[in-house]
Amino acid sequence: MSCNHDTRGIFCNRTLNLNAIRAIGYDMDYTLVHYRMKFWEQNAYNYIKEGLRSAGWPVEDLVFDPELVMRGLVIDVELGNIVKANRFGYIKRAFHGTKPLEFDAQRKSYQRTLVDLNESRWYFLNTLFSISEACIFVQLVDLLDRNALPGCTGYEDLFRRVRRSVDEAHMEGRLKAEILADPDRFIEPDHEVPLTLLDQKKSGKKILLISNSEWSYVDPILTYAFNPHLPKSKKWRDLFDIIIVGARKPAFFTLHMPVFEVVNEDGLLRETRGLLNPGHIYMGGNAHLVEQSLGLSGEALMYVGDHIFTDVNISKNISRWRTALIIREIEEEVAAVGDFQPRYTELNALMKIKEKMESQYCSLRLSAQRIQRRYDPLGDVALPILQQQMSDLSKSISEVDTRLAPLAQAAGQLLNPNWGLLMRTGIDKSHLARQIERYADIYTARVSNFLHVTPFAFLRSNRGSLPHDPLYQED
């Protein structure tokens, strides 16, 4: 699926001619600006915890543990589990609270169940903003199972209360106030992003900022992140042809909402009608108005964001814009897989040996069956000989399994010791990978990775693999 094979690559699901893109819209949080996730989510966790403590819940001893969860997992609000599914929705790994479900318990719970994100039972962790709430949810499941949460009637009620506490923490704006007070602590700088946007703008593309954050937050954050890395005569606003804050995505792509102009530095708003003017700052609005203002539509525009549903799913399905997803973790994942490659080679070689032995064992078993059931057409091999050969093969397979086990375990713990890789569930694609494959034309770890392909690149997807392809091997 890749156009480049390093950690800074642009990875392609559908071929995309960047030269044909006339306008690029960008989200801000975790897209143009990256946060140190553990600091951000630690503080978010603390605010959620504070809200739950005020409700009388015994949460004082809970500690934020980002390794408990990861993006792409799914919360089962009916059973209080958190699960990882493959691309077909089959659940391959599950935790109840903070403890992994044993194989038999997992099979009993999910042998007839597929993850369907259209059902209210499932809550998909599709951004890094989900980490804090998912972490405290699984910890609270343990407390609920011990009857330690007064007034909580079950896992669905627990989930609603955590969600409400999350919303209240964000509405109060305390977390963003902390970031504004100490951006060095929370923001992970990338000095190449401003140059990336300059390249795209000077190549003739219209550059848009479309963010759900408010002007009072966007302006100081981008001033901090961008201005020191721009030519002295330029400020961050000079990078964008249209700036839209408070966009209220996904409604931005689905509804014809009114638009207001931000008329001064204090964020004073004035309702406006007609087309959007270059160099002005707006709040609200909608994708249709953007298209009218630019004289562009559909595949001439691309939206770049970090949220699978709000940013790429809706913009793709409703507006038919091209889409790019920013997944910061992919950088670490590509590096981890690359470092593990020699052990993957050993693992694959052992699997081929095991598969050959298992095939031989099955053939011997069939021959023994024919003799025992008296329908062997040849009948020239004694049953004891076959049984001895089967016993020898069984021991050899066990020996290979002994060598395979630590390699398979290590492969399953890459990136996250509990959940493994972001884009894989065993050897299959993860449910997250399927969502990305379906809705994101391209994905990458950073906006600045566009520097490495230029604004004129023709990004080609790889030839898709099929099980019956005789020679094709996926990169």
Side-chain angles (χ1 to χ4, degrees):
M1 292 167 61
S2 65
C3 297
N4 296 307
H5 300 282
D6 61 343
T7 60
R8 301 296 301 273
I10 306 287
F11 303 95
C12 308
N13 291 316
R14 278 169 291 282
T15 295
L16 175 64
N17 183 3
L18 286 178
N19 197 44
I21 298 294
R22 307 313 307 156
I24 304 177
Y26 286 100
D27 185 27
M28 185 182 79
D29 297 314
Y30 279 124
T31 300
L32 290 174
V33 176
H34 280 281
Y35 299 98
R36 294 185 172 93
M37 185 274 288
K38 291 183 180 179
F39 286 106
W40 174 293
E41 292 301 303
Q42 171 72 72
N43 277 32
Y45 178 93
N46 290 340
Y47 285 131
I48 299 168
K49 185 174 165 181
E50 180 181 314
L52 297 171
R53 186 190 300 117
S54 67
W57 284 8
V59 296
E60 293 81 6
D61 295 333
L62 298 185
V63 177
F64 179 57
D65 180 1
E67 290 189 344
L68 276 177
V69 294
M70 66 190 300
R71 193 203 310 232
L73 302 181
V74 185
I75 292 176
D76 177 357
V77 302
E78 287 187 11
L79 298 182
N81 296 337
I82 188 163
V83 306
K84 188 176 185 183
N86 69 7
R87 57 180 162 156
F88 304 111
Y90 291 98
I91 293 166
K92 295 298 185 179
R93 194 174 298 188
F95 274 55
H96 181 74
T98 61
K99 301 295 189 296
L101 281 182
E102 298 297 332
F103 176 78
D104 288 342
Q106 180 176 313
R107 183 174 59 180
K108 182 179 179 181
S109 296
Y110 295 118
Q111 62 180 341
R112 297 184 180 180
T113 302
L114 295 178
V115 170
D116 182 350
L117 298 180
N118 292 314
E119 297 176 0
S120 59
R121 173 180 183 173
W122 310 106
Y123 178 71
F124 190 39
L125 308 182
N126 52 23
T127 75
L128 290 173
F129 289 119
S130 305
I131 300 300
S132 53
E133 63 180 297
C135 176
I136 203 165
F137 173 79
V138 299
Q139 293 171 329
L140 290 170
V141 166
D142 291 347
L143 293 180
L144 180 60
D145 288 344
R146 298 199 296 267
N147 297 315
L149 299 181
C152 187
T153 59
Y155 302 121
E156 292 187 50
D157 183 37
L158 171 61
F159 179 75
R160 284 194 296 269
R161 292 184 186 221
V162 171
R163 285 260 74 219
R164 186 163 61 244
S165 186
V166 171
D167 292 340
E168 289 171 354
H170 283 295
M171 285 172 61
E172 291 169 8
R174 293 181 297 171
L175 182 56
K176 287 187 174 181
E178 284 196 47
I179 295 168
L180 292 175
D182 190 4
D184 284 335
R185 182 182 176 211
F186 289 95
I187 294 177
E188 184 179 322
D190 187 343
H191 68 275
E192 293 182 325
V193 174
L195 178 58
T196 303
L197 301 188
L198 276 173
D199 279 347
Q200 293 172 348
K201 186 177 178 69
K202 296 299 183 182
S203 73
K205 303 182 192 304
K206 301 296 184 182
I207 306 300
L208 322 174
L209 175 66
I210 305 173
S211 171
N212 280 358
S213 290
E214 301 298 325
W215 173 248
S216 59
Y217 184 73
V218 168
D219 184 36
I221 289 298
L222 289 182
T223 297
Y224 168 86
F226 283 10
N227 284 8
H229 311 299
L230 287 167
K232 291 184 179 180
S233 61
K234 291 188 176 296
K235 304 297 183 184
W236 74 263
R237 297 186 213 179
D238 299 321
L239 296 171
F240 299 96
D241 295 276
I242 295 175
I243 298 171
I244 297 175
V245 299
R248 294 177 60 195
K249 297 173 296 178
F252 179 85
F253 291 105
T254 60
L255 302 176
H256 284 214
M257 297 187 301
V259 62
F260 300 85
E261 184 176 355
V262 180
V263 296
N264 64 20
E265 297 300 318
D266 294 328
L268 181 67
L269 301 178
R270 177 176 62 208
E271 188 170 4
T272 183
R273 299 184 184 278
L275 301 180
L276 305 176
N277 295 311
H280 291 234
I281 300 159
Y282 298 96
M283 188 188 83
N286 55 81
H288 181 67
L289 179 58
V290 168
E291 293 178 344
Q292 286 184 311
S293 300
L294 296 175
L296 301 170
S297 64
E299 294 198 350
L301 296 99
M302 180 170 73
Y303 191 67
V304 185
D306 71 294
H307 195 296
I308 293 172
F309 178 75
T310 300
D311 293 333
V312 300
N313 180 327
I314 298 299
S315 60
K316 167 68 69 179
N317 282 340
I318 303 300
S319 301
R320 298 302 182 193
W321 292 10
R322 304 305 300 267
T323 52
L325 187 69
I326 301 299
I327 314 173
R328 193 51 172 266
E329 308 98 302
I330 207 70
E331 205 166 271
E332 187 179 351
E333 178 150 325
V334 170
V337 170
D339 291 343
F340 198 77
Q341 200 57 48
R343 302 185 77 187
Y344 270 131
T345 301
E346 183 182 357
L347 180 61
N348 290 335
L350 287 171
M351 280 303 302
K352 288 181 180 179
I353 293 171
K354 180 179 177 179
E355 288 169 3
K356 184 176 180 179
M357 288 180 175
E358 287 175 336
S359 177
Q360 292 171 342
Y361 183 90
C362 290
S363 295
L364 291 172
R365 182 178 176 183
L366 180 59
S367 296
Q369 173 184 299
R370 288 171 174 172
I371 293 173
Q372 290 171 319
R373 302 292 176 87
R374 301 182 183 278
Y375 68 99
D376 180 17
L378 299 177
D380 57 353
V381 180
L383 182 60
I385 295 175
L386 290 176
Q387 291 173 331
Q388 183 60 51
Q389 290 174 338
M390 290 169 63
S391 177
D392 292 343
L393 267 176
S394 181
K395 291 177 182 177
S396 297
I397 291 171
S398 295
E399 291 171 0
V400 172
D401 282 338
T402 300
R403 296 168 60 191
L404 273 171
L407 289 171
Q409 182 180 12
Q413 293 178 329
L414 292 177
L415 194 65
N416 183 290
N418 293 315
W419 300 102
L421 295 171
L422 195 73
M423 303 288 276
R424 291 281 180 186
T425 303
I427 63 172
D428 202 357
K429 296 174 184 176
S430 66
H431 205 56
L432 174 70
R434 175 60 182 133
Q435 301 298 310
I436 293 169
E437 187 175 57
R438 185 173 182 181
Y439 299 115
D441 293 322
I442 58 177
Y443 62 96
T444 189
R446 307 167 183 248
V447 167
S448 58
N449 290 346
F450 284 105
L451 273 180
H452 304 285
V453 297
T454 81
F456 319 107
F458 200 102
L459 305 176
R460 293 177 173 85
S461 59
N462 285 342
R463 177 177 181 265
S465 63
L466 293 167
H468 65 269
D469 288 339
L471 299 176
Y472 177 76
Q473 291 184 344
E474 191 171 340
D475 291 338

